[in-house]
Structures are given as C-alpha cells and as structure tokens.
Amino acid sequence: MSRIGNKVIVVPAGVTVDIKEGNFLTVKGPKGQLEKQLNSDLSITLEGNLLTVKRPNNEMFMRKIHGTTRALLFNMVHGVSEGFSKKLEIKGVGYRAQLQGNTLVLQLGFSHNIEMQLPEGISLDVPKNTEITVNGIDKAVVGQFAAEIRKHRKPEPYKGKGIRYVDEYVARKAGKTAK
C-alpha cells in the first residue's frame, strides 16, 4: 500500500477546496488560488476539513499515481495557505543581483548583465546583493525559477564561486600542486 497516498490531508482554516467533475480542483486560500486537473479515475473526497485520495483498484498505474496525486494536492493546499520559498546565495568577487521592477538583473562575471523577467505568481526578495529569495504559491514554479537562476552560474568545485541554494553542499576539490 502507498504510505503517502493513504495519508489524510488536513485543510487549514481559511482554505476552501472545490472538487468538480473529472477531478478538476480549485484551491483558494489567503495567498491566492490554484487550479489543477488530476486523474479522474482516482476518487478525491472532502469530509469536513479532511481530504482523502483513494484508488479504485491495485493496478500498477493506479499504484503509481496514488501517492503522486496526494502529494500534488498537499502542495496546492500548503501553497495557498503558507506558500513556498527557495533561498539562493551568490559567492564570488563582483557577483551580485538586484531587482529592478519586475526584472532580476544578475552580474556574474560575464561581459554582459543577465536580465530575467519574473514569471506570473512569483515574487522575489533581494535583502543583500548576494542573497535571493524566490517566493510563490506553486511549488513547481518556485523550484523551476530558482533552478533557472542557478543555471546561469552553477557553483564550481575549486573556489566555490557561483549561485547555490542556501542548504546546498558543494564538494570542494584540491587544485593543482607544485612539484
């Protein structure tokens, strides 16, 4: 049995879940609204403030999507109530970031600045010019935008320069040694 799929999702106060025909879900909360079409073969029920996902049979495909569907539902409920955030830090001499309106401007040692437009539903905090916090209600969009920022200058193993997640470990290598 799926351990994750069988867990019940507790819907916090202030969050409403609307289940329409074909498992089209709309989740509204204090931070915003998310909509998603989930597999119509699964049965999603809301009883009071408890959300449950049940599968009709034990076929391989149903077992695969049972836990995934429950995790997507949990992320929707958590996103509209509390939101998600990813923190990045920039290491390197002259490397910095700044927010200009709806554009993130990165200076990463190239001959040009890198300008990135913020996607819909994403907000950015740049408390220092070497720290970036990506905030939003959709976990996938927050993670994707943070990954796109990081890919412009991944952390390198010799000096540790680049953009990394705050909790990321970068394995360091010894450089060349003289004979």
Side-chain angles (χ1 to χ4, degrees):
M1 292 299 285
S2 172
R3 287 187 217 154
I4 293 176
N6 289 331
K7 286 184 179 178
V8 177
I9 300 169
V10 178
V11 180
V15 175
T16 59
V17 179
D18 185 30
I19 305 169
K20 293 187 179 138
E21 189 175 329
N23 282 348
F24 183 79
L25 274 94
T26 304
V27 182
K28 295 179 187 173
K31 295 214 176 240
Q33 173 178 328
L34 289 173
E35 296 177 341
K36 190 176 271 315
Q37 173 71 46
L38 297 172
N39 192 308
S40 60
D41 294 337
L42 295 170
S43 94
I44 300 171
T45 57
L46 178 66
E47 297 168 359
N49 68 339
L50 300 177
L51 203 59
T52 57
V53 180
K54 297 208 188 292
R55 62 178 184 242
N57 54 41
N58 242 5
E59 290 179 9
M60 179 71 81
F61 179 70
M62 285 296 143
R63 290 196 319 248
K64 286 180 181 179
I65 64 168
H66 187 206
T68 303
T69 303
R70 189 260 178 207
L72 290 171
L73 257 173
F74 177 78
N75 288 339
M76 289 172 70
V77 170
H78 184 79
V80 297
S81 62
E82 297 177 30
F84 292 100
S85 70
K86 286 270 191 185
K87 294 185 180 191
L88 299 149
E89 62 183 352
I90 302 173
K91 295 206 176 204
V93 176
Y95 291 9
R96 58 183 166 270
Q98 58 186 2
L99 191 59
Q100 294 177 348
N102 206 21
T103 305
L104 175 67
V105 180
L106 299 169
Q107 296 174 346
L108 299 173
F110 298 118
S111 61
H112 60 284
N113 293 341
I114 297 166
E115 296 183 358
M116 299 179 72
Q117 294 293 323
L118 297 182
E120 187 75 25
I122 292 291
S123 66
L124 227 57
D125 293 331
V126 186
K128 293 196 282 188
N129 61 4
T130 58
E131 293 178 3
I132 303 169
T133 305
V134 182
N135 301 309
I137 61 171
D138 192 347
K139 187 175 187 178
V141 175
V142 169
Q144 181 64 39
F145 190 65
E148 287 174 9
I149 293 171
R150 182 182 177 273
K151 96 175 169 190
H152 288 294
R153 186 67 91 173
K154 291 182 181 173
E156 55 95 19
Y158 296 102
K159 292 184 180 177
K161 294 166 58 170
I163 302 174
R164 68 178 79 184
Y165 298 111
V166 168
D167 57 353
E168 181 179 6
Y169 171 74
V170 178
R172 300 294 295 268
K173 293 182 181 178
K176 293 180 185 177
T177 55
K179 289 189 176 184

PDB file of all heavy atoms in Angstrom, residues 29-46:
ATOM      1  N   GLY A  29      -7.099  30.193  -0.989  1.00  0.00           N
ATOM      2  CA  GLY A  29      -6.615  30.470   0.348  1.00  0.00           C
ATOM      3  C   GLY A  29      -6.203  31.917   0.480  1.00  0.00           C
ATOM      4  O   GLY A  29      -6.382  32.719  -0.451  1.00  0.00           O
ATOM      5  N   PRO A  30      -5.614  32.275   1.620  1.00  0.00           N
ATOM      6  CA  PRO A  30      -5.226  33.671   1.838  1.00  0.00           C
ATOM      7  C   PRO A  30      -4.138  34.167   0.881  1.00  0.00           C
ATOM      8  O   PRO A  30      -4.062  35.357   0.599  1.00  0.00           O
ATOM      9  CB  PRO A  30      -4.738  33.694   3.287  1.00  0.00           C
ATOM     10  CG  PRO A  30      -4.544  32.281   3.684  1.00  0.00           C
ATOM     11  CD  PRO A  30      -5.370  31.436   2.777  1.00  0.00           C
ATOM     12  N   LYS A  31      -3.308  33.293   0.352  1.00  0.00           N
ATOM     13  CA  LYS A  31      -2.226  33.716  -0.533  1.00  0.00           C
ATOM     14  C   LYS A  31      -2.601  33.708  -2.010  1.00  0.00           C
ATOM     15  O   LYS A  31      -1.876  34.252  -2.829  1.00  0.00           O
ATOM     16  CB  LYS A  31      -0.999  32.837  -0.322  1.00  0.00           C
ATOM     17  CG  LYS A  31      -0.409  32.986   1.055  1.00  0.00           C
ATOM     18  CD  LYS A  31       1.077  32.850   1.004  1.00  0.00           C
ATOM     19  CE  LYS A  31       1.647  33.107   2.363  1.00  0.00           C
ATOM     20  NZ  LYS A  31       2.558  34.196   2.380  1.00  0.00           N
ATOM     21  N   GLY A  32      -3.713  33.036  -2.365  1.00  0.00           N
ATOM     22  CA  GLY A  32      -4.103  33.007  -3.765  1.00  0.00           C
ATOM     23  C   GLY A  32      -4.954  31.799  -4.098  1.00  0.00           C
ATOM     24  O   GLY A  32      -5.552  31.175  -3.219  1.00  0.00           O
ATOM     25  N   GLN A  33      -4.976  31.468  -5.383  1.00  0.00           N
ATOM     26  CA  GLN A  33      -5.811  30.377  -5.873  1.00  0.00           C
ATOM     27  C   GLN A  33      -5.021  29.526  -6.855  1.00  0.00           C
ATOM     28  O   GLN A  33      -4.298  30.044  -7.701  1.00  0.00           O
ATOM     29  CB  GLN A  33      -7.037  30.967  -6.569  1.00  0.00           C
ATOM     30  CG  GLN A  33      -7.897  29.956  -7.259  1.00  0.00           C
ATOM     31  CD  GLN A  33      -9.115  30.600  -7.890  1.00  0.00           C
ATOM     32  OE1 GLN A  33      -9.634  31.577  -7.399  1.00  0.00           O
ATOM     33  NE2 GLN A  33      -9.574  30.015  -8.985  1.00  0.00           N
ATOM     34  N   LEU A  34      -5.161  28.201  -6.738  1.00  0.00           N
ATOM     35  CA  LEU A  34      -4.534  27.259  -7.656  1.00  0.00           C
ATOM     36  C   LEU A  34      -5.596  26.331  -8.234  1.00  0.00           C
ATOM     37  O   LEU A  34      -6.541  25.947  -7.534  1.00  0.00           O
ATOM     38  CB  LEU A  34      -3.475  26.415  -6.936  1.00  0.00           C
ATOM     39  CG  LEU A  34      -2.194  27.121  -6.520  1.00  0.00           C
ATOM     40  CD1 LEU A  34      -1.338  26.189  -5.676  1.00  0.00           C
ATOM     41  CD2 LEU A  34      -1.421  27.571  -7.727  1.00  0.00           C
ATOM     42  N   GLU A  35      -5.426  25.965  -9.505  1.00  0.00           N
ATOM     43  CA  GLU A  35      -6.334  25.034 -10.159  1.00  0.00           C
ATOM     44  C   GLU A  35      -5.520  23.937 -10.818  1.00  0.00           C
ATOM     45  O   GLU A  35      -4.446  24.197 -11.359  1.00  0.00           O
ATOM     46  CB  GLU A  35      -7.167  25.758 -11.224  1.00  0.00           C
ATOM     47  CG  GLU A  35      -8.086  26.807 -10.675  1.00  0.00           C
ATOM     48  CD  GLU A  35      -8.842  27.549 -11.761  1.00  0.00           C
ATOM     49  OE1 GLU A  35      -8.394  27.498 -12.922  1.00  0.00           O
ATOM     50  OE2 GLU A  35      -9.858  28.175 -11.444  1.00  0.00           O
ATOM     51  N   LYS A  36      -6.031  22.715 -10.763  1.00  0.00           N
ATOM     52  CA  LYS A  36      -5.324  21.598 -11.380  1.00  0.00           C
ATOM     53  C   LYS A  36      -6.308  20.504 -11.745  1.00  0.00           C
ATOM     54  O   LYS A  36      -7.245  20.227 -11.014  1.00  0.00           O
ATOM     55  CB  LYS A  36      -4.257  21.049 -10.435  1.00  0.00           C
ATOM     56  CG  LYS A  36      -3.319  20.054 -11.113  1.00  0.00           C
ATOM     57  CD  LYS A  36      -2.226  19.614 -10.186  1.00  0.00           C
ATOM     58  CE  LYS A  36      -0.982  20.403 -10.151  1.00  0.00           C
ATOM     59  NZ  LYS A  36      -0.305  20.861 -11.267  1.00  0.00           N
ATOM     60  N   GLN A  37      -6.060  19.894 -12.896  1.00  0.00           N
ATOM     61  CA  GLN A  37      -6.838  18.732 -13.342  1.00  0.00           C
ATOM     62  C   GLN A  37      -6.058  17.486 -12.945  1.00  0.00           C
ATOM     63  O   GLN A  37      -4.941  17.284 -13.403  1.00  0.00           O
ATOM     64  CB  GLN A  37      -7.031  18.782 -14.861  1.00  0.00           C
ATOM     65  CG  GLN A  37      -7.678  17.554 -15.442  1.00  0.00           C
ATOM     66  CD  GLN A  37      -9.145  17.455 -15.088  1.00  0.00           C
ATOM     67  OE1 GLN A  37      -9.864  18.414 -15.197  1.00  0.00           O
ATOM     68  NE2 GLN A  37      -9.566  16.284 -14.649  1.00  0.00           N
ATOM     69  N   LEU A  38      -6.635  16.661 -12.087  1.00  0.00           N
ATOM     70  CA  LEU A  38      -5.994  15.423 -11.641  1.00  0.00           C
ATOM     71  C   LEU A  38      -6.689  14.240 -12.305  1.00  0.00           C
ATOM     72  O   LEU A  38      -7.767  14.374 -12.885  1.00  0.00           O
ATOM     73  CB  LEU A  38      -6.052  15.319 -10.120  1.00  0.00           C
ATOM     74  CG  LEU A  38      -5.301  16.432  -9.380  1.00  0.00           C
ATOM     75  CD1 LEU A  38      -5.573  16.362  -7.895  1.00  0.00           C
ATOM     76  CD2 LEU A  38      -3.825  16.361  -9.648  1.00  0.00           C
ATOM     77  N   ASN A  39      -6.075  13.070 -12.217  1.00  0.00           N
ATOM     78  CA  ASN A  39      -6.601  11.871 -12.864  1.00  0.00           C
ATOM     79  C   ASN A  39      -8.020  11.585 -12.382  1.00  0.00           C
ATOM     80  O   ASN A  39      -8.281  11.515 -11.185  1.00  0.00           O
ATOM     81  CB  ASN A  39      -5.692  10.682 -12.563  1.00  0.00           C
ATOM     82  CG  ASN A  39      -6.020   9.492 -13.418  1.00  0.00           C
ATOM     83  OD1 ASN A  39      -7.155   9.057 -13.494  1.00  0.00           O
ATOM     84  ND2 ASN A  39      -5.010   8.967 -14.084  1.00  0.00           N
ATOM     85  N   SER A  40      -8.928  11.397 -13.329  1.00  0.00           N
ATOM     86  CA  SER A  40     -10.343  11.222 -12.984  1.00  0.00           C
ATOM     87  C   SER A  40     -10.666   9.823 -12.470  1.00  0.00           C
ATOM     88  O   SER A  40     -11.767   9.597 -11.961  1.00  0.00           O
ATOM     89  CB  SER A  40     -11.219  11.558 -14.188  1.00  0.00           C
ATOM     90  OG  SER A  40     -10.896  10.710 -15.264  1.00  0.00           O
ATOM     91  N   ASP A  41      -9.745   8.876 -12.590  1.00  0.00           N
ATOM     92  CA  ASP A  41     -10.002   7.523 -12.095  1.00  0.00           C
ATOM     93  C   ASP A  41      -9.909   7.446 -10.577  1.00  0.00           C
ATOM     94  O   ASP A  41     -10.533   6.579  -9.959  1.00  0.00           O
ATOM     95  CB  ASP A  41      -9.020   6.530 -12.716  1.00  0.00           C
ATOM     96  CG  ASP A  41      -9.231   6.377 -14.208  1.00  0.00           C
ATOM     97  OD1 ASP A  41     -10.352   6.665 -14.667  1.00  0.00           O
ATOM     98  OD2 ASP A  41      -8.278   5.992 -14.909  1.00  0.00           O
ATOM     99  N   LEU A  42      -9.116   8.314  -9.955  1.00  0.00           N
ATOM    100  CA  LEU A  42      -8.996   8.329  -8.504  1.00  0.00           C
ATOM    101  C   LEU A  42     -10.210   9.023  -7.900  1.00  0.00           C
ATOM    102  O   LEU A  42     -10.819   9.893  -8.521  1.00  0.00           O
ATOM    103  CB  LEU A  42      -7.727   9.070  -8.083  1.00  0.00           C
ATOM    104  CG  LEU A  42      -6.411   8.417  -8.489  1.00  0.00           C
ATOM    105  CD1 LEU A  42      -5.263   9.354  -8.242  1.00  0.00           C
ATOM    106  CD2 LEU A  42      -6.207   7.128  -7.725  1.00  0.00           C
ATOM    107  N   SER A  43     -10.552   8.645  -6.670  1.00  0.00           N
ATOM    108  CA  SER A  43     -11.667   9.318  -6.001  1.00  0.00           C
ATOM    109  C   SER A  43     -11.102  10.230  -4.921  1.00  0.00           C
ATOM    110  O   SER A  43     -10.416   9.782  -4.006  1.00  0.00           O
ATOM    111  CB  SER A  43     -12.648   8.299  -5.436  1.00  0.00           C
ATOM    112  OG  SER A  43     -12.378   8.000  -4.105  1.00  0.00           O
ATOM    113  N   ILE A  44     -11.383  11.525  -5.066  1.00  0.00           N
ATOM    114  CA  ILE A  44     -10.928  12.544  -4.116  1.00  0.00           C
ATOM    115  C   ILE A  44     -12.159  13.043  -3.381  1.00  0.00           C
ATOM    116  O   ILE A  44     -13.112  13.524  -4.001  1.00  0.00           O
ATOM    117  CB  ILE A  44     -10.219  13.699  -4.852  1.00  0.00           C
ATOM    118  CG1 ILE A  44      -9.010  13.161  -5.620  1.00  0.00           C
ATOM    119  CG2 ILE A  44      -9.798  14.779  -3.868  1.00  0.00           C
ATOM    120  CD1 ILE A  44      -8.379  14.162  -6.550  1.00  0.00           C
ATOM    121  N   THR A  45     -12.136  12.921  -2.043  1.00  0.00           N
ATOM    122  CA  THR A  45     -13.295  13.331  -1.249  1.00  0.00           C
ATOM    123  C   THR A  45     -12.877  14.310  -0.170  1.00  0.00           C
ATOM    124  O   THR A  45     -11.775  14.218   0.381  1.00  0.00           O
ATOM    125  CB  THR A  45     -13.979  12.114  -0.588  1.00  0.00           C
ATOM    126  OG1 THR A  45     -13.008  11.427   0.215  1.00  0.00           O
ATOM    127  CG2 THR A  45     -14.558  11.177  -1.616  1.00  0.00           C
ATOM    128  N   LEU A  46     -13.787  15.238   0.124  1.00  0.00           N
ATOM    129  CA  LEU A  46     -13.584  16.230   1.187  1.00  0.00           C
ATOM    130  C   LEU A  46     -14.681  16.023   2.216  1.00  0.00           C
ATOM    131  O   LEU A  46     -15.858  16.189   1.912  1.00  0.00           O
ATOM    132  CB  LEU A  46     -13.636  17.644   0.603  1.00  0.00           C
ATOM    133  CG  LEU A  46     -13.497  18.796   1.584  1.00  0.00           C
ATOM    134  CD1 LEU A  46     -12.101  18.808   2.199  1.00  0.00           C
ATOM    135  CD2 LEU A  46     -13.775  20.118   0.900  1.00  0.00           C
TER     136      LEU A  46
END
